[in-house]
Amino acid sequence: MVHRPHEVTDFQEDIHVVSTADGEPIGVIAIHSTALGPAAGGCRFWHYERRADLTADAIRLARGMSYKNALADLPLGGGKAVLQRPAGSFDRAAMFRAFGNAVESLGGAYITAEDVGTSVEDMAAVRERTRFVAGLRAQPGKSGGDPSPWTARGVFESMRAASRFALGSDLDGLTVAVQGTGSVGAALCRMLRAAGARLVIADVDRRRVDALVAELGARAVGIDDILSADADILAPCALGGVLNGRTIPTLKARLICGAANNQLETEADGEALAARGIVYAPDYVVNAGGIINVSAEYLGEAPEAVERRIAEIAPRLIAILDSAATEQVPANTVADTRARRIIARGRRAAA
Ligand code: NAI
């Protein structure tokens, strides 16, 4: 079933409902743009109070993927799947096989992989039903596997470059507050520690926090205190919408650079950050490492291509921050404008 939602964003193409074999709806696949290639983006598995919230999240995330893929110079459009995590017990493999059927029914218009709440094992269940999936277990000498270490690498390199650019300092001795210590957040914490940064961390999952406190000597704070923690840099690595009218006035960090998608609740929040003199590294610019790895796996590119593309992320960020500073425009606006321009060129070329 395909319908066009009322909440149309700038390039919105389609929303596809994902259902079980019994016809029970379990989520959606949002395709934002296929101007540059098949729509690529991970599958989020999360609990939403309302179906409308799930769909709105999928649409925003799909747009972010279009922009991310365009700026990362990948031959991919943008899409995202969001599945509702059931409250009680459920057959996980059956759910991801049903999702695989939905991906297959789109005939390659959408390519999936991991996102929040999904794993390499889930993608293996999807693979039973479709070949339009990446993030599968890596074969020796080939690209593939869990994308999150690559995402963490891109965020880390971006943070190091942005710290020099905006704070005039290397990470050694700086304090970084990391919100969310899941796959990306934990990997990022390890790299930061190795670079000599001090860590303040929070996660709703206390076991994850305790493990990193023991391993890295990080300082734990409550989930309500992490955004306003005393830190030089804030790295949002949990869910979106954390930078908003309520949180921005409380921030102490002077630089924000993290993995979470859609960190700004609205575009205007980018202006509010700029007005406070806080440098914001646009999320989809710095967190492209994962999709770069997914793309290489899907397109059969060698691991060296992944390294090369990830090495381009930090210089791309600095070019954006530099323009933002020179033109006195928020960095998210500079990034969005560049991404839209690339997509528009792709649309014209395809027409
Ligand atoms: P994950 O599911 O492994 O980790 C997310 C962590 O955030 C979990 O430990 C969860 O308990 C925690 N969390 C949730 N709400 C929280 C809150 N209010 N306060 C503190 N902690 C909270 O997910 P992953 O893969 O690490 O992704 C993190 C973010 O990065 C997500 O926004 C994701 O979309 C984004 N991202 C991930 C990529 C990847 O390669 N995994 C690629 C690009 C973006």
Side-chain angles (χ1 to χ4, degrees):
M1 182 177 130
V2 178
H3 67 89
R4 288 177 189 277
H6 297 298
E7 240 179 296
V8 175
T9 51
D10 43 359
F11 288 95
Q12 182 66 46
E13 287 184 353
D14 289 318
I15 297 287
H16 302 263
V17 175
V18 180
S19 306
T20 62
D22 304 333
E24 187 201 338
I26 54 170
V28 300
I29 297 171
I31 295 185
H32 177 262
S33 169
T34 51
L36 299 174
C43 172
R44 178 165 294 194
F45 191 43
W46 197 252
H47 181 75
Y48 293 80
E49 292 303 326
R50 300 180 315 148
R51 253 206 38 225
D53 294 340
L54 180 150
T55 305
D57 211 16
I59 291 171
R60 280 198 77 198
L61 289 163
R63 180 179 54 183
M65 290 310 303
S66 286
Y67 291 3
K68 184 186 315 196
N69 295 340
L71 272 188
D73 198 23
L74 298 172
L76 298 171
K80 200 87 181 184
V82 181
L83 303 183
Q84 173 76 334
R85 180 187 275 278
S89 61
F90 61 96
D91 183 343
R92 189 163 178 125
M95 177 167 256
F96 281 94
R97 282 196 295 269
F99 171 56
N101 288 337
V103 174
E104 177 64 18
S105 75
L106 299 178
Y110 167 66
I111 302 162
T112 198
E114 292 89 346
D115 187 56
V116 173
T118 53
S119 64
V120 173
E121 287 71 35
D122 297 327
M123 293 309 121
V126 174
R127 182 68 182 87
E128 289 178 32
R129 299 303 166 91
T130 184
R131 65 194 162 87
F132 303 117
V133 53
L136 300 163
R137 204 167 295 290
Q139 307 297 320
K142 299 227 170 99
S143 302
D146 178 6
S148 54
W150 299 102
T151 304
R153 172 100 81 84
V155 172
F156 171 75
E157 297 295 349
S158 298
M159 192 187 290
R160 183 152 62 181
S163 175
R164 287 181 191 139
F165 177 87
L167 310 181
S169 166
D170 267 317
L171 294 170
D172 191 9
L174 295 188
T175 300
V176 184
V178 181
Q179 180 194 42
T181 53
S183 309
V184 180
L188 177 64
C189 283
R190 293 191 180 99
M191 293 176 199
L192 288 169
R193 190 68 204 102
R198 293 193 197 96
L199 296 168
V200 184
I201 60 171
D203 196 294
V204 287
D205 185 339
R206 187 70 216 187
R207 285 165 311 175
R208 289 186 167 166
V209 170
D210 291 345
L212 286 180
V213 167
E215 180 190 334
L216 304 175
R219 186 165 72 82
V221 298
I223 56 166
D224 293 333
D225 299 321
I226 188 71
L227 294 173
S228 60
D230 246 320
D232 302 291
I233 303 172
L234 171 64
C237 296
L239 297 181
V242 294
L243 303 174
N244 55 50
R246 299 174 301 286
T247 59
I248 290 171
T250 73
L251 301 178
K252 300 204 183 68
R254 289 167 292 149
L255 167 65
I256 300 174
C257 180
N261 284 309
N262 296 336
Q263 290 167 32
L264 300 172
E265 193 170 271
T266 66
E267 218 176 308
D269 293 315
E271 285 165 32
L273 286 172
R276 278 208 56 201
I278 299 171
V279 174
Y280 171 64
D283 45 19
Y284 62 80
V285 177
V286 303
N287 70 12
I291 193 69
I292 286 172
N293 192 52
V294 161
S295 161
E297 176 185 350
Y298 190 76
L299 300 171
E301 287 181 352
E304 296 74 49
V306 176
E307 299 277 351
R308 180 179 51 75
R309 287 188 193 274
I310 288 182
E312 290 168 357
I313 294 176
R316 182 177 299 125
L317 169 68
I318 297 307
I320 288 169
L321 295 182
D322 202 29
S323 288
T326 312
E327 295 161 24
Q328 295 285 296
V329 173
N332 56 304
T333 307
V334 174
D336 286 0
T337 306
R338 290 184 181 196
R340 285 189 190 125
R341 216 176 278 146
I342 294 167
I343 294 167
R345 271 205 303 270
R347 294 185 139 226
R348 279 199 299 277

